Amino acid sequence: MDPLDAFWHFGNLFLPAWGVAALMALALKLIWRQAVSGMRWRTLAAWGGLGGTLGIVAALVLLGRDGTMAGYGLMLLGVTLAQWGVSVKK
């Protein structure tokens, strides 16, 4: 595999997590305006993307492969928990 193929391979592995995180951050900013008014959209998306990436890595470690429904569930759990943890007011 050449470097360009490796780039696309890893990019497509983590793209669902970052896409879901961006959409979820947008939904948070539209639906719960008051609760996340102090948070920037990019901050919510970045934390969600990192959580989703950790969920995908956990799925690879636990399940041995990607693309399973359980793996996508772990990705969604990672995105959700990360964005919830950042948006909770203290």
Side-chain angles (χ1 to χ4, degrees), residues 3-71:
L4 186 60
D5 287 338
F7 170 77
W8 287 115
H9 185 76
F10 285 110
N12 287 324
L13 176 65
F14 296 118
L15 184 65
W18 288 90
V20 167
L23 290 173
M24 206 172 216
L26 179 65
L28 278 171
K29 292 299 273 183
L30 290 175
I31 297 171
W32 290 285
R33 290 182 188 153
Q34 299 297 325
V36 293
S37 63
M39 297 291 301
R40 294 178 64 195
W41 177 84
R42 280 190 257 164
T43 305
L44 285 170
W47 279 104
L50 290 174
T53 299
L54 288 175
I56 288 175
V57 170
L60 284 173
V61 170
L62 294 173
L63 304 173
R65 58 179 298 224
D66 66 323
T68 62
M69 291 303 289

